[in-house]
Amino acid sequence: MSKSETAFKHWKDLPSTHLLGTGTPMCAGCGGLQSLHAIYDILGEKTVFVNAAGCMTLLSVYPFTPFRGSWLYTSMASAPAGAQGIRDALDILLEQERIPPDEDLDVVVLTGDGTAYGMGLSATSGAMERNLNFIYICYDNEGYGNTGQQYSGATPHAAKTATSKGPRGFSGFKKDLFSIWAAHKPSYVATIIGSEPLDLAQKIEKVKDMKGSRMLISLAPCPPGWLFDPKDSIEIGKLAVKTGVWPLKEYIDGEVVHTKIPRKRIPVEEYLKEQGRFSHLFKPKRNEKLLSELQAKIDEYWEGIE
Ligand SMILES: Cc1ncc(C[n+]2csc(CCOP(=O)(O)OP(=O)(O)O)c2C)c(N)n1
Ligand code: SF4
Ligand SMILES: [Mg+2]
């Protein structure tokens, strides 16, 4: 038996919705992969993933994918257009009774933040405008991870990236993609994170039973991009929620609801100091001004919510 036949036999023997995390060239401690595991366990194998170029593209090595369902690879800007084509084809096959209803698939777009916050934003806007019946998952590692962590529209203020190496880090501010998406009034928008599996699971269960455009942004702690030890990935994710950096919320029926309000928010520096991309805020000297600006932005967000 050849090497690839042996690998294929191993994959075939796995439980039907198990997503392979080994044997693929992904980093240990990848927060994006962590949330994708949980999402796929709930969505199940009747899915077709439409993946824009990014880290998760490396999951699939032709002709294999770690998914039981199907996988389509697209350019960065065009995953929602790919999803439209697949949805239309499925609808025609169903209407003409060329496939039975139980062979229908959920169409799931999977992209990084470089695509979701930037290159793919207009295609996504158009898809929501047409109320495309699909799920969109953005794993947000706050940079162009696959090409060496250049800054993107999701990079937080002051973070060092491959293209913001100065003493103050990134001079821009993270776009509020949740609000941009919610302004389109799709069926659903939510933020999630793999380190809060219960909140994540409740939201995925909810979108599974809905129709229309269902949009999810998962903050994805990224050891090589954010510069921390892979073993701390879950803790970094938890700190993002406890400090209020990553609010867990959903938009549904015109309302925004926070699904987990940190009881007693802890200072943002507890989150920042764990990551090498923010080390210039602490060494060689604490940058009090920038640290208090970052804290003030978070306090401003939570005012009136807590
Ligand atoms: C139009 C275009 N420009 C550049 C690239 C090269 N490229 C491939 S993956 C990638 C990074 C994408 O970043 P993101 O969407 O955040 O996903 P991540 O790599 O972080 O998973 C880039 C720039 C490309 N595929 N297409
Ligand atoms: S670079 Fe970051 S997002 Fe990409 S596979 Fe590694 S940990 Fe995951
Ligand atoms: Mg990214």
Side-chain angles (χ1 to χ4, degrees), residues 16 18-20 36 40 45 47 49 56 59-60 64-71 110:
S16 66
H18 187 87
L19 174 66
L20 279 180
L36 187 57
Y40 189 58
E45 64 188 80
T47 46
F49 277 83
M56 297 300 151
L59 285 169
S60 289
F64 302 114
T65 90
F67 295 88
R68 294 284 142 189
S70 301
W71 176 277
L110 175 67

Side-chain angles (χ1 to χ4, degrees), residues 125 172 174 217 264 271:
S125 174
K174 187 179 178 81
I217 316 168
K264 195 171 179 304
Y271 171 72

Side-chain angles (χ1 to χ4, degrees), residues 72-85:
L72 176 78
Y73 170 60
T74 71
S75 65
M76 286 183 74
S78 54
Q84 178 82 54

Side-chain angles (χ1 to χ4, degrees), residues 195-206:
S195 56
E196 295 290 345
L198 189 60
D199 180 82
L200 180 148
Q202 283 165 345
K203 288 168 176 166
I204 305 302
E205 292 283 4
K206 200 177 275 184

Side-chain angles (χ1 to χ4, degrees), residues 55 111-115 139-146 149 152 154:
C55 283
T111 81
D113 50 284
T115 284
Y139 60 96
D140 179 0
N141 64 356
E142 304 190 317
Y144 290 97
N146 189 239
Q149 198 72 0
S152 75

Side-chain angles (χ1 to χ4, degrees), residues 116-186:
Y117 287 69
M119 284 190 225
L121 191 51
S122 66
T124 313
S125 174
M128 284 189 279
E129 205 174 302
R130 299 187 299 274
N131 195 25
L132 177 62
N133 185 16
F134 79 138
I135 297 170
Y136 189 131
I137 303 163
C138 165
Y139 60 96
D140 179 0
N141 64 356
E142 304 190 317
Y144 290 97
N146 189 239
T147 43
Q149 198 72 0
Q150 296 81 17
Y151 68 72
S152 75
T155 300
H157 188 57
K160 275 203 176 165
T161 68
T163 41
S164 56
K165 290 183 169 169
R168 288 178 62 88
F170 181 52
S171 60
F173 291 87
K174 187 179 178 81
K175 273 186 207 170
D176 182 0
L177 186 64
F178 178 92
S179 299
I180 294 169
W181 278 355
H184 291 74
K185 304 191 191 316

Side-chain angles (χ1 to χ4, degrees), residues 30-48:
C30 173
L33 197 54
Q34 189 199 355
S35 58
L36 187 57
H37 264 283
I39 293 168
Y40 189 58
D41 275 349
I42 298 169
L43 290 182
E45 64 188 80
K46 284 192 176 170
T47 46
V48 47

